[in-house]
Amino acid sequence: MEMSLKTNERVQEELEALEAILMDDISISYNERGCPELIKTTIFPSTANEVDKQYVCVTLEVKLPEEYPDCEPLVQLRNPRGLDDSTINHLYKSIKDKCAENVGQPVIFELIDLIRENLTESNLPTCQCAVCLYGFSEGDSFTKTQCFHYFHSYCLANHLSITKRHFQEEQDKLPAWQKSTKGFQATCPVCREMIECDIDELKTAHPPKELESAQKFEVTNDLRLLQERMRQLFSYQKSKGGIIDIEAEENKLLLITQSSEETASSESTEDPGPSLSNLNDPVLENGVLKKSQRCDVKMNSSDR
Amino acid sequence: MAALPRRIIKETQRLMQEPVPGISAVPDDSNARYFHVIVTGPEDSPFEGGLFKLELFLPEDYPMSAPKVRFITKIYHPNIDRLGRICLDILKDKWSPALQIRTVLLSIQALLSAPNPDDPLANDVAELWKVNESEAIRNAKEWTRRYAMDN
Ligand SMILES: [Zn+2]
Ligand SMILES: [Zn+2]
């Protein structure tokens, strides 16, 4: 009993100190017996409070077992932004070492410090741009959204111009009373949060460097084997009647449409379908490419 | 002709180097925007044991527009119609350039595990799925056995 009281006091002291330093930036939840259970805080690199120079962040979650600090706490890193897997794995390892060294003493502030130091060192997004899938190189112009996602300005401009155009096209189709009064709202491609961006300014950015110097594509032996396997499966399934015959199905649909039009003209069967809005696209006809389409793009035509 | 965007090259390389379990996607010999796909029927679903062929085409403005995907192998599923078209929001208005070929195919595989008859595309299938689920599942198994096997 005396032991657990003492433990509790030590934890209480540690948490009070943390609250005094971090104030609103830390949240502590207690269980039904009033013992602290979970501590959460989002950590940013130290950039002398220049918020727009903070390119990375991560949320630290510490669970305190009853025996803490005489045992290691359970640590989780959540919502990493601008950090790739290897940076996160490296952080986990340092955290583990730090916890092991500090058994018997309060360790949470040490952890926050350790993480902040690491973030400050790698305060340049190490993740990929989700639009082009290439990284950020020195000199690339990139944009950090309010939701802490990263894009080459060039790629984000592309995304926004196209979604804006799609929005406009959809609006033009609507009758006046259904049109949106708000206008186009840009959203983040990764998390769909609303973002504020100056598309015209982004458009002036140069293409990313890694993108410019990317490798060409080569047809490997593995690829040829897989292609062969695809062909075999196709022929086998075809011989079993397992392949959809688009033409036959379309004719059937046509018949159904015609006869239902005769009986119930109000029911529209003109549904363009969800995914292949353009099923007559010759490229996809019967699962076989038309000759004219097949030769358009060559595997390694990517070099300029 | 327009050069193949590097993003497509990168996705293709990654699909080859780190394939997703139960999914293979290979570009066509003569059109690198056209992929031949096999999705394995998920375990504990009526499609278990089946190998489903799909085709996937990356339109000119991919990744700004969604890939076009359809089943080539016949499948009995409330969200897939007789033409193999798939009812999936990320292929329509929920598309985002942060999604990839692999995420699309994973979502399709997940759709096989969790058919949703309340958002149907194949109306007769969805109807049966709602009024007599066990019969619908029997049909789906039967179709899988009949059409989606390998020799
Ligand atoms: Zn990019
Ligand atoms: Zn975001």
Side-chain angles (χ1 to χ4, degrees), chain B residues 105-125:
Chain B
L105 296 177
L106 278 168
S107 301
I108 291 173
Q109 201 181 37
L111 191 65
L112 298 188
S113 290
N116 176 12
D118 292 321
D119 184 19
L121 187 55
N123 281 312
D124 49 333
V125 178

Side-chain angles (χ1 to χ4, degrees), chain B residues 15-32:
Chain B
L15 281 167
M16 298 289 121
Q17 285 154 9
E18 306 158 45
V20 192
I23 292 172
S24 43
V26 202
D28 189 79
D29 244 347
S30 42
N31 185 343

Side-chain angles (χ1 to χ4, degrees), chain A residues 27-296:
Chain A
S27 90
I28 303 173
S29 22
Y30 295 85
N31 66 13
E32 64 280 4
R33 280 172 292 127
C35 300
E37 232 180 7
L38 183 68
I39 293 136
K40 261 194 201 178
T41 179
T42 299
I43 306 171
F44 298 89
S46 15
T47 52
N49 288 327
E50 280 185 87
V51 177
D52 40 318
K53 295 232 170 77
Q54 295 174 337
Y55 301 121
V56 289
C57 70
V58 71
T59 301
L60 168 72
E61 266 187 32
V62 184
K63 266 197 194 131
L64 300 182
E66 287 198 13
E67 300 77 23
Y68 177 82
D70 295 319
C71 73
E72 294 178 26
L74 304 166
V75 179
Q76 284 284 327
L77 298 175
R78 303 214 186 263
N79 304 325
R81 292 289 187 260
L83 299 163
D84 64 3
D85 289 349
S86 74
T87 313
I88 292 292
N89 290 340
H90 173 76
L91 256 180
Y92 266 120
K93 208 184 155 294
S94 320
I95 288 171
K96 204 165 171 19
D97 294 346
K98 183 65 88 186
C99 289
E101 274 168 35
N102 282 272
V103 173
Q105 313 168 52
V107 72
I108 303 168
F109 195 78
E110 300 261 338
L111 293 181
I112 295 174
D113 234 17
L114 171 92
I115 295 168
R116 187 182 294 126
E117 236 169 71
N118 266 273
L119 294 191
T120 309
E121 267 167 39
S122 54
N123 188 23
L124 244 201
T126 51
C127 54
Q128 297 168 343
C129 164
V131 174
C132 68
L133 304 183
Y134 287 89
F136 301 93
S137 321
E138 196 73 44
D140 275 352
S141 146
F142 66 91
T143 302
K144 181 183 85 172
T145 60
Q146 289 89 328
C147 44
F148 266 85
H149 286 118
Y150 293 90
F151 308 97
H152 298 111
S153 303
Y154 174 89
C155 299
L156 189 60
N158 262 335
H159 163 68
L160 294 177
S161 333
I162 291 182
T163 44
K164 190 172 179 184
R165 199 182 73 212
H166 284 172
F167 173 82
Q168 223 54 62
E169 285 167 2
E170 287 306 307
Q171 287 296 307
D172 292 347
K173 280 187 221 155
L174 295 175
W177 58 277
Q178 270 187 345
K179 285 193 202 298
S180 159
T181 49
K182 286 195 213 89
F184 173 70
Q185 169 64 57
T187 55
C188 169
V190 174
C191 67
R192 302 181 205 275
E193 293 255 351
M194 291 188 227
I195 52 177
E196 299 305 325
C197 292
D198 181 346
I199 302 184
D200 293 318
E201 152 122 48
L202 290 174
K203 270 188 189 157
T204 61
H206 287 287
K209 282 192 188 131
E210 265 197 59
L211 192 64
E212 299 267 86
S213 57
Q215 277 180 336
K216 289 184 283 178
F217 185 73
E218 276 171 34
V219 183
T220 58
N221 269 341
D222 285 356
L223 191 130
R224 292 212 183 287
L225 283 174
L226 269 171
Q227 284 172 336
E228 184 49 37
R229 158 121 186 72
M230 295 278 177
R231 270 190 287 274
Q232 280 170 3
L233 184 68
F234 182 82
S235 334
Y236 179 75
Q237 291 189 346
K238 194 163 175 82
S239 75
K240 296 284 171 188
I243 299 297
I244 297 172
D245 181 344
I246 293 251
E247 214 168 301
E249 293 297 342
E250 269 184 335
N251 288 339
K252 258 188 248 170
L253 274 182
L254 208 62
L255 281 174
I256 296 166
T257 312
Q258 281 166 346
S259 60
S260 65
E261 264 170 1
E262 282 157 19
T263 50
S265 55
S266 62
E267 209 176 308
S268 170
T269 25
E270 265 285 278
D271 182 19
S275 65
L276 301 187
S277 54
N278 192 0
L279 202 79
N280 292 322
D281 191 340
V283 177
L284 288 161
E285 210 169 70
N286 295 333
V288 181
L289 290 163
K290 280 205 165 165
K291 266 280 172 282
S292 62
Q293 302 271 343
R294 294 182 74 104
C295 305
D296 283 352

